Amino acid sequence: MRRPLHRPGRGYRVFQGINALVLTGVVVLTLYPFLNILARSFSAEARIRAGEVNLWPRGFNLTTYEIVFRDETFWRNYGNTVLYTVVATAVAMLLTTCYAYVLSKKDLTGRGFLIGVAVFTMFFSGGLIPHYVLVTSLGMKNTLWAMVIPNAISVFNLLVMKAFFESLPAELEEAGQIDGLSTYGTLLRIVLPLSKAVVATMVLFYSVSFWNSWFSAFLYFDRADLMPVTVYLRNLIVGATGGTGAGASTDQLTQVAANIQSVTIVLTALPVLCVYPFVQRYFVSGVMLGAVKG
């Protein structure tokens, strides 16, 4: 006979209700600032200055978006940002994954030294001027690699990935070696398929970092056609607040100065918000579910 289903007690139901209320509050607190910024980006200058904009646009206005979108430089810089983010993330993931996999081998000769070299760079740096001289002397100034190579490995991401690789059962790799897999074959066919969660997390971390990066371009690029969109938006803010703009009238500049920060946040965050839902499922998936059977 089938046993009757266990019904949750009153205490558990109360806990579920409180938990739902708390999580709903967290969601509301998280969404409210972004919805306010989004509403301000579509609102009129007078309504923004009067503090009338909350969660819904007041005096619907697209002046700032029109000024940004009709500028060819914006689209060129936006394409640069996409290119820099894709290439830099791919290079960073390649180097970080290989380095972390090597450091995860506890019987590796010189492992402590390699870890020390990585950790040392977290606390000590050569400084901005030696950094600039090095990048320039290597011929990377005004090239894609000035955005990619100097920031190719994040030590924090490296240590997180190393710890994850160390948590994988060694028996899986031993089984692969018995089947004739090489070191690279073991990494590609056993380790990485079981590491989708940490790989997705590192891709998200790196891509967001490179997408929002502007100082490296500001430092190493002299040509406007090489700049990422973050530098373009920074220059637009300076132009709006300084009273100059790309072909804009005085009324348009007043509108731009009123909501340029909101438009900047929306344009910068939108691609990340579009990509995140496709990566989020890896954070909650059971990575080792069914991988090892006793």
Side-chain angles (χ1 to χ4, degrees):
M1 295 178 61
R2 179 181 296 181
R3 294 183 179 180
L5 296 177
H6 176 70
R7 295 183 179 180
R10 180 178 180 182
Y12 183 73
R13 291 196 300 269
V14 171
F15 167 77
Q16 285 183 314
I18 296 176
N19 195 30
L21 290 176
V22 171
L23 293 179
T24 302
V26 171
V27 171
V28 171
L29 292 176
T30 303
L31 286 179
Y32 176 79
F34 182 77
L35 294 178
N36 178 257
I37 289 293
L38 187 63
R40 288 168 61 91
S41 70
F42 289 105
S43 299
E45 175 265 340
R47 298 298 185 91
I48 296 175
R49 295 187 182 277
E52 299 177 359
V53 181
N54 194 5
L55 297 178
W56 193 257
R58 294 294 188 92
F60 191 80
N61 197 302
L62 296 175
T63 300
T64 307
Y65 283 103
E66 291 174 356
I67 292 176
V68 173
F69 286 160
R70 71 175 176 233
D71 190 354
E72 294 181 359
T73 304
F74 168 77
W75 295 109
R76 186 183 304 112
N77 293 160
Y78 213 95
N80 291 340
T81 299
V82 174
L83 176 63
Y84 299 155
T85 301
V86 172
V87 175
T89 302
V91 172
M93 285 303 302
L94 175 64
L95 297 180
T96 303
T97 301
C98 293
Y99 200 177
Y101 184 64
V102 168
L103 296 182
S104 67
K105 303 304 174 186
K106 297 182 179 180
D107 57 347
L108 176 69
T109 303
R111 176 174 178 266
F113 173 76
L114 294 176
I115 295 177
V117 169
V119 174
F120 181 84
T121 61
M122 292 183 66
F123 304 101
F124 301 96
S125 173
L128 182 60
I129 295 178
H131 199 177
Y132 177 83
V133 172
L134 176 62
V135 171
T136 303
S137 63
L138 292 176
M140 293 190 296
K141 187 177 180 181
N142 287 322
T143 66
L144 164 69
W145 306 113
M147 294 287 293
V148 176
I149 301 301
N151 303 310
I153 295 182
S154 167
V155 179
F156 174 79
N157 294 345
L158 173 69
L159 297 179
V160 170
M161 186 170 279
K162 163 187 165 295
F164 187 90
F165 287 158
E166 288 177 343
S167 67
L168 297 176
E171 292 79 6
L172 293 174
E173 297 187 39
E174 293 174 357
Q177 294 173 359
I178 293 174
D179 290 338
L181 289 178
S182 62
T183 302
Y184 295 106
T186 302
L187 175 62
L188 294 175
R189 303 181 66 176
I190 295 180
V191 176
L192 290 183
L194 294 174
S195 306
K196 291 180 180 179
V198 71
V199 170
T201 303
M202 296 300 106
V203 168
L204 183 64
F205 286 174
Y206 274 123
S207 60
V208 171
S209 175
F210 287 120
W211 182 269
N212 294 328
S213 176
W214 69 274
F215 186 72
S216 295
F218 189 76
L219 186 64
Y220 300 124
F221 290 164
D222 297 331
R223 295 164 45 189
D225 60 321
L226 294 177
M227 295 295 183
V229 72
T230 47
V231 176
Y232 173 89
L233 295 175
R234 171 195 174 275
N235 295 337
L236 186 61
I237 294 175
V238 174
T241 56
T244 59
S249 65
T250 303
D251 294 338
Q252 287 177 326
L253 286 175
T254 303
Q255 172 64 31
V256 169
N259 68 348
I260 182 61
Q261 292 182 347
S262 303
V263 173
T264 301
I265 294 173
V266 172
L267 293 177
T268 304
L270 186 60
V272 177
L273 294 176
C274 293
V275 172
Y276 181 78
F278 298 98
V279 182
Q280 187 266 346
R281 65 190 182 95
Y282 291 107
F283 297 143
V284 296
S285 61
V287 182
M288 292 300 300
L289 184 62
V292 181
K293 304 207 175 192

